[in-house]
Amino acid sequence: MHISVIGSGYVGTTVTACFADLGHEVTAIDIDEDVVDALNEGRAPIDEPGLEELLATHAGDRLEATTSYDAVSESDVTFLAIGTPSNEDGSIDLTALEAAAEAAGEALADKADRHLVVIKSTVTPTSIGEVLEPAVNRGSNDNPNVEVGMNPEFLREGSAVDDFLTPDKVVFGTNSEWATDQLHAVFDPLLDEHDADVVETDPATASMIKYANNAFLASKISLVNDIGNVCKEFGLDAYEVMAAVGLDDRISEQFLRSGVGWGGSCFPKDVDAIVAAARDEDYDPALLEAAVEINDRQPERLLELLEDHVDPADARIAVLGLAFKPQTDDIRNSRAIPTIETLRNRGAEVVAYDPVAAENMRERFPEIEYADSAASALEGADGAVVVTDWDEFAALDEEFDAMADPVVVDGRRIVERRDGLAYEGLTW
Ligand code: UDX
C-alpha cells in the first residue's frame, strides 16, 4: 500500500518509519526542509529509541520525504499528523490541521479513485464533522471519492516505536465499511504479527476514545497522588498501599506511581482540551477539573515539605531532573517548571541539573544556574528536590555529604534513604 503522512513531528515521524517497516511505501510530507532532508538521509529529527534505525533502513527505499503535496493523490491513504496546540482557555487550536486538511483535499480534487484521509492528530469529538471534513471537502471541491476517518495514536515518548508496533488496541473511526477495510489494509501487517484488539467505530467516538484514555490515565495518577498525600499525612507509604491496591485486576498495577505529578505534551493538553470542549457544551467535568487541580498542587506540596527543613529565601536549592519524565529532553509541562518558578518567587537561588534537558530549560529559565552533574548541583546546596526519576539519581550517595545542609525532598521515589540525610518522600 502507498501511504502519505502529512506532518513529520513526533507522531508523524514515528508512524512514517513504522508504516515503512510494516512493508508499505510511505511518503512523508512536511513544510520544514531540514526535517525532509533528515528523513531522506535516514536521520531521525527527534530522539526516540529505534527510530533512526528504522529510518536508516527504509529511507531511499520504501520511505521518502518531500515538501510537495503531489504525493497525496499518488498514495492510497493519507494520514494527517499535525499538532493541535492549546489556546489560552485550554481548547485546541485547529488552524494548522485545518489548513493541512484543506491542502490534502486540494491535492485530491481530481482523484478518480477512492481515497481515505485519516486524522491521526488528537481532536475533540466535533472537530472532524464540523471543521476537518468540511476543510477536506472544500479543498477537493466535494470530490465524492474522498472520505475522512480517524485513527488515534496512543504512543508514549521514549518508547514510541515499540508502542506503535506492539499496541494493546488500534482504533478505526470511519463512516464506511470501505474506509474500515482501508485501515485494515494499513494495519493488517502489524496485526498479523502482534495480537491487538481492533475497535471499529465512527470518527467522533474514535476522537473521544483518545481523550478518554488520556483523561483516565491522568486522573488515575491524580487520584493516586491525592491518596498519596493522605498517606503522607498519616505517616504511611503510598507505594506500599498502592502495590496492594494494584493487585486488584480491575485497577491494575500500572500508573500507580505517586509523586510530583504528570507533565508532557499529551496529558496536560488533552485534559485541558476535553474540559474546555465539555464546558463549551455547558457541562462542568468536575472530576477532570479536580485531576488538573491536584496535579497543579503537587509541586507546591513538594516545596512545603522542603520548607519544613529549610527556608528557601536566600537558600541555594538544587533541582534534580528537568525533563517531564526520564529518557527524554522534553520539558513541556514538566513539573520542574512550577517547582523552579515557586522557588524563585520565594527568593531561592536555584541550581538545576538534568542529564539531557538542561538546554531546553535554559530557554525557559535563563537566569538560574545549570550544573553539569548531580554532584556539582548538590555541592554546597542547602536543600534539594527531585523532580524526574532519572536512574542515575538512585546511585547518589556520598554526593549528599557535600551539601551545606543534606536535605532531600524526593518527588519520584528514586533517591535512597540513608543515614546523615534528611530525606522526605512526597507521598511516603
Ligand atoms: C502519554 C500516554 O501514556 C500516551 O498513551 C499518549 O499517547 C501520550 O501521553 P507520555 O506523555 O509520553 O504518554 O508519557 P507517560 O509515560 O504516559 O507519562 C506521562 C506523565 O505521567 C509523566 O510526567 C510521568 O512522570 C507521569 N506519571 C506516569 C506518573 O506521575 N505516575 C505514573 O504512575 C505514571
Side-chain angles (χ1 to χ4, degrees), residues 46 104 207 230 240 372 387 412:
I46 51 163
S207 305
V230 175
E240 191 183 344
D372 55 14
V387 181
R412 296 290 183 191

Side-chain angles (χ1 to χ4, degrees), residues 320-401:
L320 300 185
L322 302 171
F324 85 94
K325 68 174 189 180
Q327 323 312 336
T328 177
D329 66 354
D330 195 341
I331 59 154
R332 283 176 290 177
N333 282 298
S334 167
R335 302 293 80 200
I337 295 171
T339 303
I340 293 171
E341 223 157 40
T342 311
L343 280 169
R344 299 274 300 143
N345 289 341
R346 300 204 179 145
E349 175 194 333
V350 174
V351 49
Y353 168 71
D354 188 284
V356 296
E359 285 318 305
N360 287 338
M361 196 58 95
R362 200 191 290 276
E363 284 173 31
R364 178 72 181 71
F365 294 108
E367 71 281 13
I368 66 168
E369 189 181 327
Y370 293 87
D372 55 14
S373 67
S376 69
L378 291 170
E379 200 176 332
D382 302 300
V385 292
V386 181
V387 181
T388 315
D389 37 345
W390 285 106
D391 280 346
E392 64 174 80
F393 299 154
L396 292 172
D397 186 0
E398 67 247 24
E399 290 81 354
F400 294 116
D401 298 333

Side-chain angles (χ1 to χ4, degrees), residues 12 24 40 111 156-157 169 194 215 219 248 253 283 299 345 417:
H24 298 301
N40 281 326
K111 183 142 181 183
R156 287 166 299 178
E157 285 188 31
K169 60 177 178 272
H194 173 78
S219 303
D248 189 323
E253 64 191 4
Y283 177 73
N345 289 341
R417 274 177 208 271

Side-chain angles (χ1 to χ4, degrees), residues 160-176:
V161 169
D162 202 41
D163 286 347
F164 183 89
L165 294 172
T166 60
D168 295 331
K169 60 177 178 272
V170 288
V171 178
F172 300 159
T174 68
N175 290 315
S176 74

Side-chain angles (χ1 to χ4, degrees), residues 153-157 210 214 217 221 255-257 261-267 324-325 412:
E153 188 48 62
F154 301 96
L155 53 79
R156 287 166 299 178
E157 285 188 31
K210 166 75 190 204
N214 275 355
L217 290 172
I221 301 167
F255 276 63
L256 295 184
R257 294 193 326 272
W262 34 271
S265 63
C266 287
F267 285 171
F324 85 94
K325 68 174 189 180
R412 296 290 183 191

Side-chain angles (χ1 to χ4, degrees), residues 31-50:
I31 48 170
D32 187 329
E33 285 187 18
D34 290 342
V35 168
V36 166
D37 289 346
L39 292 176
N40 281 326
E41 287 161 20
R43 284 185 288 115
I46 51 163
D47 192 16
E48 191 61 43

